[in-house]
Every structure is written in structure tokens, then in C-alpha cells.
Amino acid sequence: MPRVACAFWLSVSGQGEIRTVPVPEPRDDEVLVRTLCSGVSRGTETLVFRGGVPESQHAVMRAPFQEGDFPAPVKYGYLNVGVVEQGPSALLGRTVFCLYPHQTHYVVPASAVTPVPDSVPASRAVLAGTVETAVNALWDAAPLVGDRIAVVGAGMVGCSVAAVLARFPGVRLQLVDADPARAATAEALGVDFALPQDARGDCDLVVHASATERGLARSLELLAQEGTVIELSWYGDRQVSLPLGEAFHSRRLVVRSSQVGAVSPARRARRTFADRLALALDLLADPAFDALVTGESAFEDLPRVMPRLASGDLPALCHRIRYTPADG
């Protein structure tokens, strides 16, 4: 068993480093996991890297196994897939997903890991946390058979929502984004694509995930009478203007937030966090989700890669981080 591991830390806003950290001996109810791959969440995680978490949200935005405090130094992340090397016999040798930061080895309670189904490769399972966000959003949205739906914002979360909605029978679905290159991603997901100015209106439901003021305004424009926008974007410390004049009230439009930190009220009485994550992993059996992984780097390169992801110099949906046994 390794006595130390290597972990990625945000040392100061906009700058990260690899640190050596101790790894304790697991207790009877814990597991030692060796990381196979992790994923960088292009939205929230790069916002954290830039130091964009407002002070009022420091407690709310803590990741389950975060160390340190915002803005920095902090060890942050939540898309980790690894192999259980020590632990209860039912988990020993299993590939598991955990909401853990970027680290070569770690010890967590056995209840904190979710086995990855045999039908899902580890390289795709890093998307589980984001697909879980999509599941929660759709529990909030409650789409109906035959609905006219737009997903505005073809980032990691928006594409995950569109991929799940593509399974719904009878829906008219469009993925909307200002970047025409996202048309290829939409095609891989089996979803129609449109630029904002060409998007079809009269929507019963719009899921907004562009994290832009313009995208939210366009989402409202696409709604039918009494339609609903589910707001998935998180703007951090940015102020956003919302056009609530003109016909907003007469059309009786709704803007409703959705956030993965709590199970949707629509399912809270009957589903746990573990149930929701297990469902997300089951959905990842579909190879169409591979389109959401748009790049890969070695763990030791993360201090150089993260600034490029945060600045947009390295475009990405999910950027996968690979680990080798030598990393530990």
C-alpha cells in the first residue's frame, strides 16, 4: 500500500501544484482506491480555479472530500474513477466512482464509492457526476411525452441533459449553442442542433446551461405561453440581468433553478443520493456519451493544463486526466 499519494491543489487563484499527501491505513468500513482517471468539470471547477466562488457560497460550494478553503489553497474536484485495492470483500478489485478530487490514491468510507457497472468503461464513468446533475435537472423539469424542448448551452452539463432527453419518446429537441462546432457533438448524441438565432421557439421547456446572460434571455424568448426555463447555470460572483419586462408577466413564464446539491423535491421522498448516482452510471452504458470527453492529459501535467482550461485556450467539455501506477 502506498504511504503517500500525489494530489492536485489550487495554491493561489489561477495557479495549481502537485503536492504529496499522506494516505492512512483504511479502517474496516473504509476503502483504499487507486485512481484510474478523473475529470475536470469545465464549468464549476474552472470557476473555482479562477477564484470566482463568492464568499456567501463558500460553505455551499464545498465538495464532499474538499480540503482547504476557498478561494485557496484548496483541493477541489468531484469526478474520480478508480479501483478498490483494500476494503470489504464485496468491493475489493471493483472499479468505482467517487466524488473525490484529483489524487493518485485515497481512503474514504466504503459508502462513499459507487461500483461502476460492467457495461460502462472507466474512461466514460468520469462523467457520472455531470450526468447525475442532468438526472436531477430532469426530475425538476418533469418533461412530458411530446414536449417541445430546447437545451441552451452545449457545455458539459447541457450536453448531458440533451443526451438523456434524446431517450424521451416523442419530444422535439434542439441543442442550442453559439459555437457552430458544437453541431458535431449534437450529431454524436443524436440531437438536432441550432445556433441561437435559428432555434425553434414555442417551447414547453427550455433547460438553460450556457452560463451567459444572453443565453438566459434567449431561453425566455424560446418559450411558449406559460413555458418554463430550468436554470442550471451557476454564475459564481457575476451579476446577471434578466429581462422581466415586456411580455414576461403576460405570458406567465417561469424561471426555476435546479442544483445537484439536493435531490429534486419531485423524488426526494423516494430516492437517495446513492440512487441518483447509480442511475447516472447506468445511463452511461450508452457509448454516445463518449462525445462529451473532448481531451485527455496526464495527471502530472494538470498544473499546466488547468490554466488553459480556465482561460478557454484549451476548449473542452470534459477533460479527462489519466493516471499511471508510477504516479503513486
Side-chain angles (χ1 to χ4, degrees):
M1 169 189 143
R3 297 298 177 184
V4 296
C6 295
F8 177 74
W9 277 74
L10 175 63
S11 48
V12 296
S13 295
Q15 183 177 322
E17 63 184 6
I18 303 294
R19 296 184 180 181
T20 300
V21 296
V23 178
E25 183 73 21
R27 298 191 294 263
D28 290 344
D29 59 347
E30 294 180 325
V31 291
L32 168 69
V33 179
R34 173 174 57 85
T35 303
L36 298 173
C37 51
S38 59
V40 177
S41 171
R42 178 65 176 79
T44 302
E45 198 167 343
T46 58
L47 188 148
V48 169
F49 186 78
R50 295 192 300 267
V53 180
E55 187 174 354
S56 65
Q57 296 300 299
H58 282 188
V60 175
M61 281 300 298
R62 287 193 68 87
F65 294 101
Q66 173 180 324
E67 293 183 37
D69 298 299
F70 300 121
V74 64
K75 183 176 77 174
Y76 189 85
Y78 47 83
L79 301 174
N80 189 298
V81 178
V83 174
V84 175
E85 294 197 327
Q86 284 184 244
S89 58
L91 290 171
L92 195 60
R94 295 290 304 271
T95 299
V96 294
F97 177 86
C98 186
L99 296 167
Y100 204 87
H102 309 282
Q103 184 166 312
T104 55
H105 299 78
Y106 54 91
V107 170
V108 294
S111 59
V113 301
T114 302
V116 174
D118 293 339
S119 58
V120 180
S123 57
R124 192 186 306 148
V126 294
L127 298 167
T130 307
V131 176
E132 183 184 12
T133 300
V135 168
N136 208 57
L138 293 174
W139 282 349
D140 282 332
L144 300 177
V145 173
D147 271 359
R148 298 178 293 268
I149 305 173
V151 178
V152 176
M156 192 173 169
V157 171
C159 284
S160 294
V161 171
V164 177
L165 278 172
R167 304 160 176 261
F168 276 60
V171 300
R172 189 197 79 188
L173 175 63
Q174 272 194 327
L175 182 59
V176 181
D177 198 274
D179 182 0
R182 291 287 184 243
T185 306
E187 182 179 5
L189 297 176
V191 176
D192 185 36
F193 176 82
L195 295 171
Q197 64 271 24
D198 300 324
R200 299 174 71 178
D202 201 30
C203 292
D204 304 290
L205 172 68
V206 176
V207 179
H208 179 240
S210 81
T212 67
E213 187 174 292
R214 183 175 297 180
L216 181 53
R218 184 58 176 147
S219 297
L220 288 171
E221 292 173 352
L222 295 176
L223 288 177
Q225 183 85 4
E226 299 185 343
T228 297
V229 169
I230 297 295
E231 176 58 283
L232 278 176
S233 301
W234 191 64
Y235 300 91
D237 56 2
R238 288 181 291 146
Q239 295 293 317
V240 177
S241 296
L242 185 62
L244 300 182
E246 299 183 357
F248 178 80
H249 286 82
S250 64
R251 295 175 63 209
R252 299 180 61 82
L253 304 182
V254 174
V255 179
R256 189 161 82 245
S257 66
S258 178
Q259 208 270 348
V260 74
V263 174
S264 168
R267 291 293 179 269
R268 194 172 299 162
R270 299 183 298 279
R271 299 291 191 279
T272 65
F273 285 102
D275 293 332
R276 191 179 64 183
L277 181 55
L279 173 58
L281 282 163
D282 285 341
L283 291 171
L284 282 168
D286 187 344
F289 282 99
D290 286 333
L292 275 61
V293 179
T294 54
E296 185 176 81
S297 300
F299 169 72
E300 57 266 25
D301 293 333
L302 198 47
R304 294 177 290 278
V305 168
M306 191 67 83
R308 297 183 62 204
L309 290 170
S311 69
D313 177 56
L314 183 60
L317 292 174
C318 176
H319 193 85
R320 187 167 55 219
I321 306 302
R322 66 178 182 273
Y323 296 69
T324 65
D327 289 334

